[in-house]
Amino acid sequence: MTKKELIGKMAEASGITKVQAEKALNTFIDSVSTTLKSGDKVTLVGFGTFQVTERAGRQGINPRTKEKISIPARKSPKFVPGKALKEMVDKKKK
């Protein structure tokens, strides 16, 4: 599903315009991004948790030159699905 399709579904399900749904989705994305950037996590009970993980620095090899390179440590966003979301996705269609 694309962002445009999601906006359409949100608008249809909630009875608002696509412009309003797009504004709501963009606000949600901005809020989650800002929270993660500050180092906090966002927990939506039943859906999941957006959080930041630390990736350790490591040694790598440039595949072209076979030269060893140092890959620096970095932070990476991560989504951990909640129990209810896992169960819903795992249910067999009847």
Side-chain angles (χ1 to χ4, degrees), residues 16 22 49:
I16 59 176
E22 182 176 16
T49 302

Side-chain angles (χ1 to χ4, degrees), residues 15-30:
I16 59 176
T17 67
K18 288 184 180 182
V19 172
Q20 292 169 322
E22 182 176 16
K23 186 174 181 180
L25 181 59
N26 287 337
T27 301
F28 172 76
I29 292 169
D30 291 343

Side-chain angles (χ1 to χ4, degrees), residues 7 10 13 15 18 28 31-33 37 42 44-45 52 58 64 69-71 83 88:
I7 290 168
M10 288 173 57
K18 288 184 180 182
F28 172 76
S31 297
V32 170
S33 300
K37 188 174 181 179
V42 177
L44 303 172
V45 177
V52 176
R58 57 189 166 87
R64 185 174 294 165
I69 57 172
S70 178
I71 302 170
K83 182 180 177 186
M88 184 180 71

Side-chain angles (χ1 to χ4, degrees), residues 7 9 15 35-36 45 47 49-50 53 56 70 74-77 81 88 91-92:
I7 290 168
K9 283 199 178 243
T35 302
L36 293 177
V45 177
F47 183 71
T49 302
F50 296 91
T53 59
S70 178
R74 67 184 184 100
K75 294 180 180 180
S76 179
M88 184 180 71
K91 281 186 179 178
K92 305 281 188 225

